């Protein structure tokens, strides 16, 4: 399972790199020096930044961690893995099409870990799932902007 531990560490590093590119860190203004009470706003912006990063890291690694945990618990058969992931993911029949994409991505992660598929195929499946998410949940506004940033970053890192 050393292979699995290396994989998750690499994915954590990748998630941090991606989050640094898509989530802007607030910049301190010279106005804070002149008007110290503005420091409160800056501190709040830093908190929001930290929460956004934490949330992104959890979401980005969610599916990968599920697959890793199942593999560590001895669930290496593809059919068994698919059934267990379905039980984790499928909560609402309304979004079954999206869940199918996530399940396929999870199986591709498993195949990559067992060196049955290349990293590029795994990354392309990740991008495909993101595109499907954007289609199904009809991203708009800030949500669409962040999704497009993420899509561009993932495409550039293939």
């Amino acid at each position: 399972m050393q292979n699995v531990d290396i994989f998750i560490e690499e994915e954590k590093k990748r998630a941090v790199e991606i989050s640094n590119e898509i989530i802007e860190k607030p910049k301190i203004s010279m106005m804070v020096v002149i008007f110290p009470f503005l420091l409160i706003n800056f501190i709040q912006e830093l908190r929001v930044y930290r929460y956004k990063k934490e949330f992104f890291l959890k979401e980005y690694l969610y599916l990968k961690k599920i697959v890793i945990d199942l593999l560590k618990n001895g669930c290496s058969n593809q059919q068994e893995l698919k059934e267990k992931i379905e039980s984790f993911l499928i909560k609402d029949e309304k979004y079954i099409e999206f869940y199918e994409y996530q399940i396929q991505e999870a199986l591709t992660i498993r195949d990559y870990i067992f060196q049955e598929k290349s990293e590029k195929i795994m990354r392309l499946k990740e991008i495909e799932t993101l595109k499907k998410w954007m289609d199904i949940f009809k991203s708009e506004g800030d949500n669409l902007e962040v999704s497009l940033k993420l899509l561009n970053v993932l495409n550039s890192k293939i």
Side-chain angles (χ1 to χ4, degrees):
M1 286 293 132
Q2 183 181 8
N3 217 10
V4 172
D5 295 332
I6 292 170
F7 171 76
I8 202 68
E9 286 305 314
E10 288 174 357
E11 288 302 306
K12 285 179 184 176
K13 289 177 189 174
R14 179 180 165 84
V16 168
E17 287 175 18
I18 291 171
S19 71
N20 288 337
E21 290 186 40
I22 65 171
I23 302 171
E24 295 180 28
K25 188 172 186 176
K27 295 176 178 76
I28 193 159
S29 168
M30 288 303 294
M31 296 298 287
V32 172
V33 176
I34 299 168
F35 304 108
F37 65 88
L38 293 175
L39 187 60
I40 293 170
N41 291 340
F42 179 70
I43 291 170
Q44 288 175 334
E45 289 176 18
L46 279 176
R47 283 186 184 143
V48 169
Y49 169 76
R50 190 183 85 222
Y51 293 139
K52 283 182 180 179
K53 277 190 81 109
E54 286 176 11
F55 182 72
F56 175 79
L57 295 176
K58 285 180 184 176
E59 284 298 309
Y60 185 79
L61 296 172
Y62 177 72
L63 189 60
K64 293 173 173 98
K65 284 185 177 182
I66 290 174
V67 173
I68 298 303
D69 289 344
L70 290 173
L71 290 175
K72 282 185 174 181
N73 291 330
C75 180
S76 60
N77 180 344
Q78 202 164 20
Q79 185 60 33
E80 182 183 359
L81 187 70
K82 181 179 178 180
E83 291 169 4
K84 297 258 185 177
I85 291 172
E86 283 175 349
S87 69
F88 275 112
L89 293 179
I90 299 178
K91 305 286 187 239
D92 184 4
E93 294 294 320
K94 182 177 178 183
Y95 302 114
I96 194 77
E97 186 180 2
F98 175 66
Y99 296 137
E100 288 300 322
Y101 274 82
Q102 282 189 308
I103 291 165
Q104 289 304 313
E105 181 184 348
L107 294 175
T108 306
I109 292 167
R110 177 232 173 250
D111 292 345
Y112 170 71
I113 291 171
F114 286 115
Q115 299 176 343
E116 295 173 10
K117 291 189 178 173
S118 70
E119 181 179 4
K120 184 174 182 176
I121 292 172
M122 181 182 71
R123 300 295 176 210
L124 289 172
K125 188 59 80 172
E126 186 177 313
I127 291 169
E128 191 177 317
T129 304
L130 174 62
K131 286 179 182 176
K132 195 60 170 176
W133 181 86
M134 290 168 59
D135 287 345
I136 290 175
F137 294 101
K138 303 198 182 354
S139 300
E140 48 188 50
D142 288 342
N143 197 5
L144 178 62
E145 182 182 332
V146 172
S147 296
L148 290 174
K149 277 184 186 178
L150 177 58
L151 186 62
N152 289 334
V153 170
L154 290 177
N155 277 324
S156 69
K157 293 195 176 285
I158 289 182

